[in-house]
Amino acid sequence: MMHTRKIRLMMASAALLTLTSPAFALDGADLMKKLDAATNANGTSITYDKAEVDGDKVTVTGVQLKFASQPGEPTSVKIGDLTFEGVEETEGGGYYAETVSFPDVNVSQDEGSISVKDILLSGLTIPANANGGTINDILLYESASTGPIALNAKGKEVFSLESTEANLARQENDAGFDFDATASGIKADLSTVEDAKTKEAIEKLGLTTIDGALTMKGSWEVESGNVALEEYALDFKNVGRLNFALDISGYTLAFVKSMQEAMKAAEANPNKEEANQAMGLAMMGLMQQLTFNSAEVRFDDASITKKALDYAGSQQGVSGEQMAQSLKGLVPIMMAQLNVPELQNQVSAAVNAYLDGPKSLTISAAPEKPVPFPMIMGAAMGAPNTIPSVLGVKVTAND
């Protein structure tokens, strides 16, 4: 009797699980609907053929990205099949996927082709409500990466990357994000350039092939809208390293939403000229909300300066050293036209020092107090020669 009772209890439990399990199954169509809503904020829409669910895996076939139409440009890009793995529904009705795998890209057109391999997103968060105004209403990923990227022209590889990777990490208490990105093994073959003069310059400068990397690092504080781009650098062997840094405030979620709405309004306007004018006015209005904190452009030489001086000098029938001396005399004359004596002296001193022994050249702007963008725009229109003092511009060399 006891044995029979146990069997009945097990059968009843199995039946209950069978009846209730569909309630916990993932909804692939709903996932794609919310993904589409999240991408719509950036002016992109997603279409697909079908979304099949197998446990925590969602396979979506026939995916296409559609963009706002522009005359003479394609309106959609075929992606193919996407595979979402480790998918779970989050609190509030959004979704989280451990990984999203993309098919390799291999597109050929005319005499060129491009290929991208091993495209992967990790830690994708799809918001339940893309129209909300919090950090939880943004389409986010923890990392995005690719394997090799190659661009071919006339049967020859002219540009390639070994790999790319971008990472996004939430700050404590969801205050904002820290981000970084790299593009490793950048190679370009300039030997196929056909213009004779350009080809000669490339060869003289030793730039027939270039090899380098790109790195980026920064943060975004959501409440203040502070965007601190600490590093955006291109570093090429036997050329040098060019780095750009920028710090602004006011780039809040409300600012982003207003910008997206302006873009949507422009896209919906069939009159493209009118739409572009409206977009320009909207952007000018939005710029009023931003504040400039600092910026810097720095170049660290890796032998390209001497080569450039030698080549430029050869075109004028003089040596590289003589060309450098000519530039030293030319810079003050050019700067005098700007009517900014203090900056003129800085630039002249920096250029002289750099040309005497090329190591680094830095242009920085660091005002004592943050400067609202309207003040910068006003100075640019009314008294352009005051901009260096407004922004605290400095030019230094070899520091």
Side-chain angles (χ1 to χ4, degrees), residues 208-221:
T208 304
T209 59
I210 59 175
D211 184 358
L214 180 148
T215 54
M216 182 175 68
K217 182 180 181 182
S219 62
W220 177 33
E221 186 181 277

Side-chain angles (χ1 to χ4, degrees), residues 288-329:
Q288 308 289 315
Q289 303 176 33
L290 300 178
T291 300
F292 177 87
N293 300 321
S294 66
E296 180 181 283
V297 179
R298 178 186 174 98
F299 178 71
D300 290 275
D301 182 68
S303 79
I304 192 64
T305 302
K306 185 178 184 307
K307 294 174 186 175
L309 288 170
D310 288 341
Y311 175 71
S314 70
Q315 300 299 297
Q316 302 295 324
V318 298
S319 67
E321 289 79 5
Q322 291 172 317
M323 190 67 195
Q325 294 304 317
S326 297
L327 288 175
K328 288 181 183 180

Side-chain angles (χ1 to χ4, degrees), residues 24-92:
F24 299 98
L26 292 171
D27 186 338
D30 185 59
L31 180 149
M32 292 304 295
K33 177 182 177 182
K34 287 172 179 173
L35 178 60
D36 178 49
T39 59
N40 273 337
N42 296 316
T44 305
S45 63
I46 300 176
T47 62
Y48 66 99
D49 293 334
K50 59 181 178 179
E52 298 180 325
V53 177
D54 182 8
D56 65 354
K57 178 179 178 180
V58 180
T59 303
V60 186
T61 57
V63 177
Q64 290 191 61
L65 291 181
K66 293 192 174 182
F67 306 94
S69 60
Q70 295 290 337
E73 294 183 6
T75 58
S76 64
V77 175
K78 293 183 179 179
I79 301 298
D81 300 346
L82 298 183
T83 303
F84 298 75
E85 296 188 82
V87 181
E88 60 183 45
E89 190 171 354
T90 59
E91 186 177 352

Side-chain angles (χ1 to χ4, degrees), residues 66-392:
K66 293 192 174 182
F67 306 94
S69 60
Q70 295 290 337
E73 294 183 6
T75 58
S76 64
V77 175
K78 293 183 179 179
I79 301 298
D81 300 346
L82 298 183
T83 303
F84 298 75
E85 296 188 82
V87 181
E88 60 183 45
E89 190 171 354
T90 59
E91 186 177 352
Y95 293 90
Y96 175 84
E98 290 181 359
T99 61
V100 184
S101 302
F102 291 70
D104 290 345
V105 174
N106 197 345
V107 179
S108 297
Q109 186 173 2
D110 298 329
E111 296 182 332
S113 66
I114 183 171
S115 64
V116 186
K117 296 182 178 180
D118 304 327
I119 308 170
L120 183 70
L121 283 179
S122 299
L124 178 68
T125 301
I126 302 171
N129 175 25
N131 294 318
T134 73
I135 196 171
N136 294 317
D137 303 317
I138 306 173
L139 181 68
L140 299 171
Y141 62 85
E142 293 170 9
S143 68
S145 61
T146 73
I149 300 176
L151 177 64
N152 286 265
K154 297 181 179 180
K156 187 172 184 179
E157 186 173 279
V158 295
F159 177 84
S160 66
L161 288 171
E162 288 181 1
S163 63
T164 67
E165 182 178 349
N167 301 295
L168 191 66
R170 286 198 185 200
Q171 296 172 351
E172 190 174 352
N173 298 322
D174 286 344
F177 304 98
D178 295 318
F179 57 84
D180 64 78
T182 58
S184 305
I186 300 175
K187 290 183 171 60
D189 183 353
L190 304 182
S191 64
T192 57
V193 172
E194 296 178 356
D195 181 75
K197 194 168 184 179
T198 304
K199 191 178 185 70
E200 179 191 5
I202 289 171
E203 291 173 351
K204 293 287 186 182
L205 294 173
L207 300 178
T208 304
T209 59
I210 59 175
D211 184 358
L214 180 148
T215 54
M216 182 175 68
K217 182 180 181 182
S219 62
W220 177 33
E221 186 181 277
V222 174
E223 186 174 348
S224 67
N226 178 244
V227 177
L229 182 62
E230 301 168 23
E231 176 185 14
Y232 190 96
L234 282 166
D235 192 350
F236 289 98
K237 294 178 182 178
N238 302 319
V239 177
R241 182 178 189 271
L242 180 65
N243 183 55
F244 176 73
L246 177 68
D247 193 307
I248 62 171
S249 298
Y251 194 82
T252 61
L253 285 172
F255 179 94
V256 174
K257 190 171 183 179
S258 296
M259 186 165 59
Q260 291 170 342
E261 289 173 352
M263 292 173 65
K264 284 183 179 179
E267 290 162 4
N269 190 336
N271 186 324
K272 293 304 175 184
E273 184 177 349
E274 185 180 284
N276 289 334
Q277 290 177 350
M279 185 67 178
L281 290 172
M283 289 299 105
M284 286 186 66
L286 288 170
M287 291 288 281
Q288 308 289 315
Q289 303 176 33
L290 300 178
T291 300
F292 177 87
N293 300 321
S294 66
E296 180 181 283
V297 179
R298 178 186 174 98
F299 178 71
D300 290 275
D301 182 68
S303 79
I304 192 64
T305 302
K306 185 178 184 307
K307 294 174 186 175
L309 288 170
D310 288 341
Y311 175 71
S314 70
Q315 300 299 297
Q316 302 295 324
V318 298
S319 67
E321 289 79 5
Q322 291 172 317
M323 190 67 195
Q325 294 304 317
S326 297
L327 288 175
K328 288 181 183 180
L330 184 62
V331 168
I333 297 173
M334 296 175 62
M335 290 298 300
Q337 299 177 24
L338 300 178
N339 191 27
V340 190
E342 184 180 346
L343 184 62
Q344 176 182 331
N345 294 334
Q346 284 187 36
V347 172
S348 297
V351 169
N352 289 350
Y354 182 77
L355 292 175
D356 286 340
K359 292 180 182 177
S360 67
L361 189 63
T362 305
I363 303 172
S364 62
E368 292 183 7
K369 295 181 179 179
V371 182
F373 270 59
M375 184 181 294
I376 300 173
M377 295 166 67
M381 291 186 289
N385 62 323
T386 65
I387 290 180
S389 59
V390 169
L391 299 182

